[in-house]
Amino acid sequence: MHCPFCNVADSKVIDSRLAAEGSQIRRRRECPSCGERFTTFESYEVVMPRVIKSNGKNEPFDEAKLRRSLMHALQKRPVTQEQIETVLSDIQIKIRRLGERDVSSRTIGEIVMQALFCLDHVAYVRFASVYQDFQDVEAFRQHIELMQQREH
């Protein structure tokens, strides 16, 4: 690590501790040249796969878009913000565990539907109605019947 004071290419780590609830390492460093001390933080970088849309377009994974979709489906439902954050994290973990560089939006939608099915059935149906593009009440009814069969 370069010294921010004299720009020497190397510094000595004199102390390391966990920070940010274990998601970072705080390192106290000292420059062997000028003797100044400084702190650095080290954290992991998680790379999400790219998303292949139904039209074939390839775009970066967008956590904000996923969050908006979940919030829309869960609007006015008895679900806490903590539950939403947990589901959001679980969905991203499942997507990363696929081990693919590119994942179809359809696969992501299925993962989201599984998570919502376990969390809140009304939110699940709301999300499914947009995701599956129901065109009439009959399509809704069939999907709800399938959902009820899955429950039993």
Side-chain angles (χ1 to χ4, degrees), residues 3-5 26 32 41 50 66 75 100-101 112 126 128 151:
C3 173
F5 302 102
R26 177 184 180 272
F41 291 90
R50 294 187 59 82
L66 175 58
Q75 188 174 2
E100 302 293 330
R101 291 181 64 183
V112 171
R126 285 178 180 170
E151 254 186 348

Side-chain angles (χ1 to χ4, degrees), residues 37-65:
R37 291 183 175 194
F38 58 99
T39 302
T40 61
F41 291 90
E42 181 180 319
S43 60
Y44 55 84
E45 180 180 26
V46 178
V47 179
M48 291 297 289
R50 294 187 59 82
V51 179
I52 302 170
K53 307 294 282 180
S54 58
N55 64 5
K57 187 177 173 185
N58 194 317
E59 63 184 44
F61 178 84
D62 186 353
E63 181 181 341
K65 188 174 181 179

Side-chain angles (χ1 to χ4, degrees), residues 85-124:
E85 294 302 322
T86 299
V87 164
L88 185 63
S89 176
D90 290 347
I91 290 169
Q92 290 179 82
I93 288 168
K94 286 179 182 170
I95 293 169
R96 278 194 303 271
R97 283 188 180 155
L98 294 173
E100 302 293 330
R101 291 181 64 183
D102 298 313
V103 176
S104 72
S105 58
R106 181 153 261 349
T107 300
I108 294 171
E110 294 296 328
I111 292 170
V112 171
M113 285 180 49
Q114 289 171 358
L116 286 174
F117 184 83
C118 295
L119 182 64
D120 184 275
H121 288 181
V122 172
Y124 166 80

Side-chain angles (χ1 to χ4, degrees), residues 11-30:
S11 60
K12 179 179 155 188
V13 175
I14 56 176
D15 183 42
S16 292
R17 332 180 156 188
L18 289 178
E21 299 178 1
S23 65
Q24 289 183 333
I25 296 177
R26 177 184 180 272
R27 298 197 193 277
R28 192 75 180 127
R29 297 177 176 269
E30 183 175 51

